[in-house]
Amino acid sequence: GGGRCNFTNRLLTRQNATERFLSRNPRFALSALSRYTPADFIARLDAAGIAWHEKHLGQLFCDGKATQIIDLLLRDLRAAGGVLSLETEIERVERAGDGFLVTTSQGPIRAASVIVATGGKSIPKMGASSLGYEIAQKFGLDIVETRPALVPLTFAEQDLARTAPLSGLARPVDLRLGKTHFAEDLLFTHRGLSGPAILQISSYWREGDTLKIDLAPGNDIAAALSEQRDAAGRQALHNALARHLP
């Protein structure tokens, strides 16, 4: 969130949670989202005196730095008796009697229960790996084939040459893939397309799929150009379009 921490979304409700949780089992997160709602987390921040503001589409951000959220959660962790061990590699997890034995680079840890919450494997330079999937497979859990999600779309060289001059330009768009669509910002980059709309649709896109991008949502450009011609006479197309698009 640009260092401000996009910490929740006010528009998330129990009614729309299954639509917003992309999964083969969309009801998986329903109980957690029902028992601890966005309003609960907002109240937690208010009690801690952390100021926040709302952007479009219900997105909530800190007024200050994201480290405020980190500090709050670390305080909660310590208050609950939790211990945070950094720079500690998990080497293996195995059953040991009624519990588990976790072998780490800092020595063994015995526990009655183990929660594997390693996230995905998308950013190795931040420490992400496939460890979580390997542990799950070891204990006989089925693994859904992994694929890129919430990522930019990159272009081949021949296509990139057409869009590279637009690098850095952002536009509110309506982006569609079949029945799925997002009305958010699109960002042209030196490698292709990014921005919230693209990151969202990337979770649904497959190689060969066609995306439809409306760069002027809610506007009939053809009608607007016709009106401009009637009012101002002939003019260069790029000058006429400049009123509507960068």
Side-chain angles (χ1 to χ4, degrees), residues 51-73:
W52 51 271
H53 60 277
E54 182 172 346
K55 290 190 176 180
H56 68 303
L57 301 175
Q59 300 166 4
L60 304 188
F61 292 79
C62 293
D63 287 357
K65 294 182 178 180
T67 49
Q68 296 175 100
I69 301 280
I70 296 173
D71 293 341
L72 169 66
L73 297 177

Side-chain angles (χ1 to χ4, degrees), residues 9-198:
N9 192 301
R10 190 197 290 278
L11 301 184
L12 179 65
T13 66
R14 192 182 194 283
Q15 288 70 34
N16 66 23
T18 55
E19 301 170 10
R20 294 180 173 229
F21 188 75
L22 184 60
S23 169
R24 290 185 182 176
N25 178 16
R27 295 183 61 82
F28 176 81
L30 196 57
S31 61
L33 293 172
S34 298
R35 288 154 55 193
Y36 197 84
T37 69
D40 292 319
F41 193 67
I42 292 169
R44 182 73 189 86
L45 296 194
D46 290 342
I50 297 177
W52 51 271
H53 60 277
E54 182 172 346
K55 290 190 176 180
H56 68 303
L57 301 175
Q59 300 166 4
L60 304 188
F61 292 79
C62 293
D63 287 357
K65 294 182 178 180
T67 49
Q68 296 175 100
I69 301 280
I70 296 173
D71 293 341
L72 169 66
L73 297 177
L74 288 175
R75 288 197 299 272
D76 286 352
L77 177 69
R78 289 190 291 268
V83 176
L84 181 65
S85 300
L86 301 176
E87 298 181 5
T88 302
E89 183 178 355
I90 305 298
E91 296 173 356
R92 63 181 179 274
V93 179
E94 52 198 338
R95 288 197 180 277
D98 293 336
F100 297 88
L101 176 65
V102 182
T103 304
T104 79
S105 58
Q106 303 297 323
I109 300 172
R110 293 185 178 275
S113 302
V114 172
I115 298 173
V116 180
T118 59
K121 59 178 184 177
S122 56
I123 313 180
K125 66 182 179 182
M126 291 181 64
S129 73
S130 60
L131 174 67
Y133 307 113
E134 294 164 9
I135 294 174
Q137 284 180 312
K138 179 178 179 179
F139 285 94
L141 299 180
D142 292 333
I143 303 298
V144 176
E145 183 181 359
T146 57
R147 54 181 173 78
L150 294 176
V151 292
L153 298 179
T154 55
F155 288 167
E157 286 299 323
Q158 65 270 21
D159 300 314
L160 193 59
R162 302 171 62 189
T163 61
L166 301 173
S167 179
L169 179 66
R171 281 289 299 174
V173 302
D174 188 276
L175 180 59
R176 293 182 178 272
L177 174 62
K179 295 182 179 180
T180 302
H181 82 100
F182 296 98
E184 295 196 48
D185 286 351
L186 174 147
L187 173 68
F188 289 92
T189 74
H190 66 288
R191 299 181 62 191
L193 300 176
S194 188
I198 293 293

Side-chain angles (χ1 to χ4, degrees), residues 203-244:
S203 296
Y204 299 84
W205 180 82
R206 296 289 182 278
E207 202 167 321
D209 285 348
T210 298
L211 294 178
K212 293 185 178 180
I213 305 173
D214 185 346
L215 291 168
N219 295 310
D220 186 337
I221 294 294
L225 291 177
S226 179
E227 290 176 7
Q228 286 173 232
R229 182 179 58 190
D230 292 342
R234 294 175 63 86
Q235 55 184 307
L237 181 59
H238 68 272
N239 290 333
L241 283 172
R243 295 189 185 184
H244 310 281

